[in-house]
Amino acid sequence: MRLIFIGPPGAGKGTQAKVVCNYFNLQHISSGDLLREAIASSSPEGEKAKQFIEKGLLVPDEIVVKIVAERIRKIKGFVLDGFPRTLTQAEFLDRTLDSLSISLDRVFNFTVSLSKVIERLSGRRICSNCNAIYHIKNIPPRKEGICDRCGGRLVQREDDKEETVRKRLKVYQKISQPLIEYYKKKGVLVNVDGNMEVQELFERIKESLRRYDTH
Ligand code: AMP
């Protein structure tokens, strides 16, 4: 099964992607995580991407598609989280999937209120080692500042600071509509309410995927 999660930062895509991947045995491909890994390893793509991410801007298509395509070619079932973000990326993805003779099953469009986004992102912490996601109030780690899973250090993403979040939201609002229309026309779009709690939203997504559910 191949899914896409579209939505503004803080809509809960990453958290939900982990739950859905675990249940349906899919791989989570987060373009943001892949870019942060490229930055951490000081690859040429990472060096270029860094300046855009820090400013809350989109990384140029050619850098992102290269990184994501490498990952997609290696795996069968996935949740794409944060990719595509532009029509060029969506068209590129179609060509890549066509060349592998596979297609998309669903595109979930997460909507969320501004106040929820600010609340979620200002409290979000991620593991600097395994990318696990926490929230200082809603999903606190057992030991403050330490990842439950791997013992890695929890950090606040530089671009989760409020000013950059507002910038990222503006960027999202500007670019998202054509993408949503694109997938609506293809008949694969499902709107979901990102304000919901994790489990409640998962039930909603699971319901929409029940024909794939072999549990
Ligand atoms: P995310 O972790 O999805 O919130 O992404 C963090 C940042 O990485 C974004 O604000 C962008 O700067 C960059 N980024 C992630 N995915 C993409 C994409 N598909 N296209 C362009 N930039 C991206």
Side-chain angles (χ1 to χ4, degrees):
M1 182 163 56
R2 281 148 312 254
L3 310 175
I4 293 179
F5 286 1
I6 298 180
K13 303 186 300 295
T15 306
Q16 199 56 233
K18 288 190 168 66
V19 180
V20 169
C21 285
N22 194 23
Y23 184 84
F24 287 102
N25 202 16
L26 306 171
Q27 294 247 2
H28 178 195
I29 308 178
S30 151
S31 48
D33 283 350
L34 293 177
L35 289 166
R36 284 184 286 278
E37 280 163 25
I39 293 173
S41 68
S42 303
S43 72
E45 285 92 10
E47 293 294 319
K48 279 188 216 144
K50 193 169 181 237
Q51 31 185 325
F52 294 92
I53 293 181
E54 279 174 353
K55 292 188 196 125
L57 299 172
L58 288 187
V59 173
D61 289 332
E62 63 273 18
I63 300 178
V64 187
V65 297
K66 187 165 174 247
I67 292 182
V68 173
E70 276 168 22
R71 193 57 70 95
I72 289 177
R73 289 203 185 95
K74 290 185 198 144
I75 52 181
K76 273 202 193 133
F78 54 73
V79 173
L80 266 177
D81 158 16
F83 183 94
R85 264 180 165 92
T86 64
L87 272 184
T88 307
Q89 292 177 14
E91 285 159 2
F92 164 86
L93 177 64
D94 278 350
R95 286 195 298 277
T96 307
L97 296 179
D98 279 351
S99 74
L100 298 167
S101 304
I102 53 179
S103 58
L104 284 173
D105 296 295
R106 291 276 194 295
V107 176
F108 290 96
N109 175 35
F110 288 57
T111 52
V112 67
S113 65
L114 175 65
S115 57
K116 198 78 177 172
V117 168
I118 302 286
E119 180 219 304
R120 282 187 182 155
L121 295 193
S122 58
R124 175 159 78 177
R125 298 291 180 271
I126 60 163
C127 174
S128 52
N129 180 46
C130 75
N131 295 321
I133 304 170
Y134 296 86
H135 187 279
I136 47 175
K137 270 200 226 123
N138 309 339
I139 324 169
R142 282 194 292 273
K143 196 168 169 213
E144 199 186 322
I146 305 290
C147 178
D148 293 347
R149 272 209 268 159
C150 74
R153 201 166 55 87
L154 301 187
V155 293
Q156 181 174 37
R157 277 170 45 177
E158 204 44 51
D159 60 348
D160 277 350
K161 309 261 161 78
E162 190 164 333
E163 199 187 321
T164 318
V165 167
R166 287 186 188 277
K167 179 80 197 256
R168 286 163 65 202
L169 279 170
K170 269 206 191 121
V171 168
Y172 179 78
Q173 273 150 12
K174 219 166 123 189
I175 52 119
S176 58
Q177 209 45 43
L179 205 57
I180 292 166
E181 291 301 323
Y182 182 81
Y183 287 119
K184 205 186 221 170
K185 270 198 200 126
K186 283 181 177 282
V188 288
L189 193 79
V190 179
N191 292 312
V192 291
D193 181 0
N195 295 295
M196 284 180 175
E197 290 308 315
V198 178
Q199 196 54 36
E200 197 187 357
L201 181 50
F202 174 58
E203 292 302 327
R204 164 84 184 80
I205 291 177
K206 202 165 79 175
E207 175 61 22
S208 131
L209 296 174
R210 64 181 178 281
R211 56 185 272 231
Y212 304 93
D213 196 342
T214 53
H215 286 74

